[in-house]
Amino acid sequence: HRSGLQSSKAERARSTMMNADMDAVEAENQVELEEKTRLINQVLELQHTLEDLSARVDAVKEENLKLKSENQVLGQYIENLMSASSVFQTTDTKSKRK
């Protein structure tokens, strides 16, 4: 009778240990799943940030080209005004005096 009690206790102990092991594995899997979910969310957030930055770079490039073009027009306009104005005409008085 005693060996039956011992084997029953041993089986219960093994069963308890297996349940504890399974619980530990399940907890570890849950932690891994949470970590994967966190990383996926972080990647998605970084992708959205990259998309936003890329769109901003494109907008800034476009604005830069527009301003560059406007500056060329203004530069040409100023150059034309200066060449038409007598104030900015070069005088060659030194060579006339000699």
Side-chain angles (χ1 to χ4, degrees):
H1 180 71
R2 194 163 196 234
S3 68
L5 276 175
Q6 286 177 341
S7 74
S8 175
K9 284 182 181 179
E11 284 176 23
R12 275 188 265 141
R14 267 188 257 128
S15 176
T16 301
M17 286 173 46
M18 284 178 59
N19 286 340
D21 287 345
M22 287 172 57
D23 289 345
V25 167
E26 189 175 314
E28 187 176 317
N29 287 342
Q30 183 65 30
V31 168
E32 285 181 15
L33 181 62
E34 288 172 3
E35 179 67 9
K36 285 179 183 178
T37 302
R38 187 186 69 76
L39 289 173
I40 288 170
N41 288 335
Q42 189 176 11
V43 165
L44 291 173
E45 184 180 333
L46 289 171
Q47 282 179 334
H48 291 132
T49 301
L50 181 59
E51 288 170 0
D52 292 344
L53 288 173
S54 182
R56 178 72 179 129
V57 165
D58 290 342
V60 167
K61 281 182 180 179
E62 189 175 314
E63 181 69 15
N64 187 36
L65 288 173
K66 180 182 169 190
L67 291 173
K68 196 179 279 189
S69 176
E70 289 177 6
N71 281 345
Q72 286 176 339
V73 170
L74 287 173
Q76 187 63 48
Y77 177 73
I78 291 169
E79 193 176 303
N80 290 343
L81 285 177
M82 288 173 58
S83 65
S85 173
S86 61
V87 174
F88 295 104
Q89 297 298 320
T90 57
T91 55
D92 203 6
T93 55
K94 290 181 183 175
S95 62
K96 289 182 182 176
R97 289 185 188 162
K98 288 184 180 178

